[in-house]
Coordinates of all heavy atoms in Angstrom, one line a residue:
I1 N 119.4 129.5 152.9 CA 120.2 129.9 151.7 C 121.5 130.5 152.2 O 122.6 130.4 151.5 CB 119.4 130.7 150.8 CG1 120.2 130.8 149.4 CG2 119.2 132.1 151.4 CD1 119.4 131.5 148.3
F2 N 121.5 131.2 153.3 CA 122.7 131.9 153.8 C 123.8 131.0 154.3 O 124.9 131.4 154.5 CB 122.3 133.0 154.8 CG 121.4 134.0 154.2 CD1 120.1 134.1 154.7 CD2 121.8 134.8 153.2 CE1 119.2 135.1 154.2 CE2 120.9 135.8 152.6 CZ 119.6 135.9 153.1
D3 N 123.5 129.7 154.4 CA 124.5 128.7 154.7 C 125.3 128.4 153.4 O 126.4 127.9 153.5 CB 123.9 127.4 155.1 CG 123.3 127.5 156.5 OD1 123.6 128.4 157.3 OD2 122.5 126.5 156.9
F4 N 124.8 128.8 152.3 CA 125.5 128.5 151.0 C 126.0 129.7 150.3 O 126.9 129.6 149.4 CB 124.5 127.7 150.1 CG 124.0 126.4 150.7 CD1 122.9 126.4 151.5 CD2 124.7 125.3 150.6 CE1 122.4 125.2 152.1 CE2 124.3 124.1 151.2 CZ 123.1 124.1 151.9
M5 N 125.4 130.9 150.5 CA 125.7 132.1 149.7 C 125.8 133.3 150.7 O 125.0 133.3 151.6 CB 124.6 132.4 148.7 CG 124.5 131.3 147.6 SD 123.3 131.8 146.4 CE 124.1 133.1 145.5
E6 N 126.6 134.2 150.3 CA 126.7 135.5 151.0 C 125.5 136.3 150.8 O 124.9 136.2 149.8 CB 127.9 136.3 150.5 CG 129.3 135.6 150.7 CD 130.3 136.4 150.0 OE1 130.1 137.6 149.7 OE2 131.4 135.8 149.8
R7 N 125.1 137.0 151.9 CA 123.9 137.8 151.8 C 123.9 138.8 150.6 O 122.9 138.9 149.9 CB 123.7 138.6 153.1 CG 122.4 139.4 153.2 CD 122.2 140.0 154.6 NE 122.1 138.9 155.6 CZ 121.0 138.2 155.8 NH1 119.9 138.5 155.2 NH2 121.0 137.3 156.8
K8 N 125.0 139.4 150.3 CA 125.2 140.3 149.2 C 124.8 139.7 147.9 O 124.1 140.3 147.0 CB 126.6 140.9 149.2 CG 126.9 141.8 148.1 CD 128.3 142.3 148.1 CE 128.6 143.1 146.8 NZ 130.0 143.5 146.7
K9 N 125.3 138.4 147.7 CA 125.0 137.7 146.4 C 123.5 137.3 146.3 O 122.9 137.4 145.2 CB 125.9 136.5 146.3 CG 127.3 136.8 146.1 CD 128.2 135.6 146.0 CE 129.6 136.0 145.7 NZ 130.5 134.8 145.5
V10 N 122.9 136.9 147.4 CA 121.5 136.6 147.4 C 120.7 137.8 147.0 O 119.8 137.8 146.2 CB 121.1 136.0 148.8 CG1 119.5 135.8 148.8 CG2 121.8 134.7 149.1
I11 N 121.0 138.9 147.6 CA 120.3 140.2 147.3 C 120.5 140.6 145.9 O 119.5 141.0 145.2 CB 120.8 141.3 148.3 CG1 120.3 141.0 149.7 CG2 120.3 142.7 147.8 CD1 120.9 141.9 150.8
E12 N 121.7 140.4 145.3 CA 121.9 140.7 143.9 C 121.0 139.8 143.0 O 120.4 140.3 142.1 CB 123.4 140.5 143.6 CG 123.8 140.8 142.2 CD 125.2 140.6 141.9 OE1 125.8 139.6 142.4 OE2 125.8 141.5 141.3
L13 N 120.9 138.6 143.3 CA 120.1 137.7 142.5 C 118.6 138.0 142.7 O 117.9 138.0 141.7 CB 120.4 136.2 142.9 CG 121.8 135.7 142.5 CD1 122.0 134.3 143.2 CD2 121.9 135.6 141.0
V14 N 118.2 138.2 143.9 CA 116.8 138.5 144.1 C 116.4 139.8 143.4 O 115.3 139.9 142.8 CB 116.5 138.6 145.6 CG1 115.1 139.2 145.9 CG2 116.6 137.2 146.3
N15 N 117.3 140.8 143.5 CA 117.0 142.1 142.8 C 116.9 141.8 141.3 O 116.0 142.4 140.6 CB 118.0 143.1 143.1 CG 117.9 143.7 144.4 OD1 116.9 143.6 145.1 ND2 119.0 144.3 144.9
F16 N 117.8 141.0 140.7 CA 117.7 140.7 139.3 C 116.3 140.0 138.9 O 115.7 140.4 138.0 CB 118.8 139.8 138.8 CG 118.7 139.3 137.4 CD1 119.1 140.2 136.4 CD2 118.1 138.1 137.1 CE1 118.9 139.7 135.1 CE2 118.0 137.7 135.9 CZ 118.3 138.5 134.8
L17 N 116.0 139.0 139.7 CA 114.7 138.3 139.5 C 113.5 139.2 139.5 O 112.6 139.2 138.7 CB 114.6 137.2 140.5 CG 115.6 136.0 140.3 CD1 115.5 135.1 141.5 CD2 115.5 135.3 139.0
Y18 N 113.5 140.1 140.6 CA 112.4 141.0 140.7 C 112.3 142.1 139.6 O 111.3 142.3 139.0 CB 112.5 141.7 142.1 CG 111.4 142.7 142.4 CD1 110.2 142.3 142.7 CD2 111.7 144.1 142.2 CE1 109.1 143.2 142.9 CE2 110.7 145.0 142.5 CZ 109.4 144.6 142.8 OH 108.4 145.5 143.0
E19 N 113.5 142.7 139.3 CA 113.5 143.7 138.3 C 113.2 143.2 136.9 O 112.7 143.9 136.0 CB 114.9 144.4 138.3 CG 115.1 145.2 139.5 CD 116.6 145.7 139.7 OE1 117.4 145.4 138.8 OE2 116.9 146.3 140.7
N20 N 113.5 141.9 136.7 CA 113.2 141.3 135.3 C 112.0 140.4 135.3 O 111.8 139.8 134.3 CB 114.5 140.5 134.9 CG 115.6 141.5 134.6 OD1 115.7 142.1 133.5 ND2 116.5 141.7 135.6
N21 N 111.3 140.4 136.4 CA 110.0 139.7 136.5 C 110.2 138.3 136.0 O 109.5 137.8 135.1 CB 108.9 140.4 135.8 CG 107.5 139.9 136.1 OD1 107.3 139.4 137.2 ND2 106.6 139.9 135.1
T22 N 111.2 137.6 136.5 CA 111.4 136.2 136.1 C 111.8 135.3 137.3 O 112.2 135.8 138.4 CB 112.6 136.2 135.1 OG1 112.7 134.8 134.6 CG2 113.9 136.6 135.7
T23 N 111.7 134.1 137.1 CA 112.1 133.1 138.1 C 113.0 132.0 137.4 O 113.3 131.0 137.9 CB 111.0 132.3 138.8 OG1 110.1 131.7 137.8 CG2 110.1 133.3 139.6
L24 N 113.3 132.3 136.1 CA 114.1 131.3 135.3 C 115.6 131.4 135.6 O 116.2 132.4 135.4 CB 113.8 131.5 133.8 CG 112.4 131.4 133.4 CD1 112.3 131.8 131.9 CD2 111.9 130.0 133.6
A25 N 116.1 130.2 136.0 CA 117.6 130.1 136.2 C 118.3 130.4 134.9 O 119.4 131.0 135.0 CB 117.9 128.8 136.8
S26 N 117.8 130.0 133.8 CA 118.5 130.3 132.5 C 118.7 131.8 132.3 O 119.7 132.2 131.7 CB 117.7 129.6 131.4 OG 116.4 130.2 131.3
E27 N 117.7 132.6 132.7 CA 117.9 134.0 132.5 C 118.9 134.6 133.4 O 119.7 135.5 133.1 CB 116.5 134.7 132.7 CG 115.6 134.5 131.6 CD 114.3 135.3 131.7 OE1 114.3 136.4 132.2 OE2 113.3 134.8 131.2
V28 N 119.0 134.1 134.6 CA 120.0 134.5 135.6 C 121.4 134.1 135.0 O 122.3 134.9 135.0 CB 119.8 133.8 137.0 CG1 121.0 134.1 137.9 CG2 118.5 134.3 137.6
Q29 N 121.5 132.9 134.5 CA 122.8 132.4 134.0 C 123.2 133.2 132.8 O 124.4 133.6 132.6 CB 122.6 130.9 133.6 CG 123.9 130.3 133.2 CD 124.9 130.1 134.3 OE1 124.5 129.9 135.5 NE2 126.1 130.1 134.1
A30 N 122.2 133.6 131.9 CA 122.6 134.4 130.7 C 123.1 135.7 131.1 O 124.0 136.3 130.5 CB 121.3 134.5 129.8
Y31 N 122.5 136.3 132.2 CA 122.9 137.7 132.6 C 124.2 137.7 133.4 O 125.1 138.5 133.1 CB 121.8 138.3 133.5 CG 122.1 139.7 133.9 CD1 121.9 140.8 133.1 CD2 122.6 139.9 135.2 CE1 122.1 142.1 133.5 CE2 122.9 141.2 135.6 CZ 122.7 142.3 134.7 OH 123.0 143.6 135.1
F32 N 124.3 136.8 134.3 CA 125.5 136.8 135.2 C 126.6 135.9 134.6 O 127.8 136.0 135.1 CB 125.1 136.3 136.6 CG 124.3 137.3 137.3 CD1 122.9 137.1 137.5 CD2 124.9 138.4 137.9 CE1 122.2 138.0 138.2 CE2 124.1 139.3 138.6 CZ 122.8 139.1 138.8
G33 N 126.4 135.0 133.7 CA 127.4 134.2 133.1 C 128.0 133.2 134.2 O 127.3 132.6 134.9
E34 N 129.3 133.2 134.2 CA 130.0 132.2 135.1 C 130.1 132.7 136.5 O 130.6 132.0 137.4 CB 131.4 132.0 134.5 CG 131.4 131.3 133.2 CD 130.8 129.9 133.2 OE1 131.1 129.2 134.1 OE2 130.0 129.7 132.2
L35 N 129.5 133.8 136.8 CA 129.6 134.3 138.2 C 128.8 133.4 139.2 O 129.2 133.2 140.3 CB 129.0 135.8 138.2 CG 129.1 136.5 139.6 CD1 130.6 136.7 140.0 CD2 128.5 137.9 139.5
Y36 N 127.7 132.8 138.7 CA 126.9 131.9 139.5 C 126.7 130.6 138.7 O 126.5 130.7 137.5 CB 125.6 132.5 139.9 CG 125.7 133.8 140.7 CD1 125.4 135.0 140.1 CD2 126.1 133.7 142.0 CE1 125.5 136.2 140.9 CE2 126.2 134.9 142.7 CZ 125.9 136.1 142.2 OH 126.0 137.3 142.9
S37 N 126.7 129.5 139.4 CA 126.4 128.3 138.7 C 124.8 128.0 138.9 O 124.2 128.7 139.6 CB 127.1 127.1 139.4 OG 126.6 126.9 140.7

């Protein structure tokens, strides 16, 4: 994954997934908006 994304961004996403007990990309998209595709 680090070939495609900076470590800081991966950590930010993983933290969101963990804290919100989800694996749904739609929830990530709703929270972060256009920041991540």
Side-chain angles (χ1 to χ4, degrees):
I1 194 168
F2 299 115
D3 288 345
F4 301 92
M5 296 181 72
E6 297 172 20
R7 184 169 299 278
K8 178 182 174 186
K9 291 181 178 185
V10 173
I11 291 169
E12 180 177 44
L13 291 170
V14 169
N15 285 341
F16 173 82
L17 295 169
Y18 179 75
E19 290 168 4
N20 292 279
N21 194 33
T22 187
T23 58
L24 298 176
S26 59
E27 290 187 27
V28 173
Q29 188 70 29
Y31 181 81
F32 289 103
E34 297 298 316
L35 187 59
Y36 300 107
S37 67

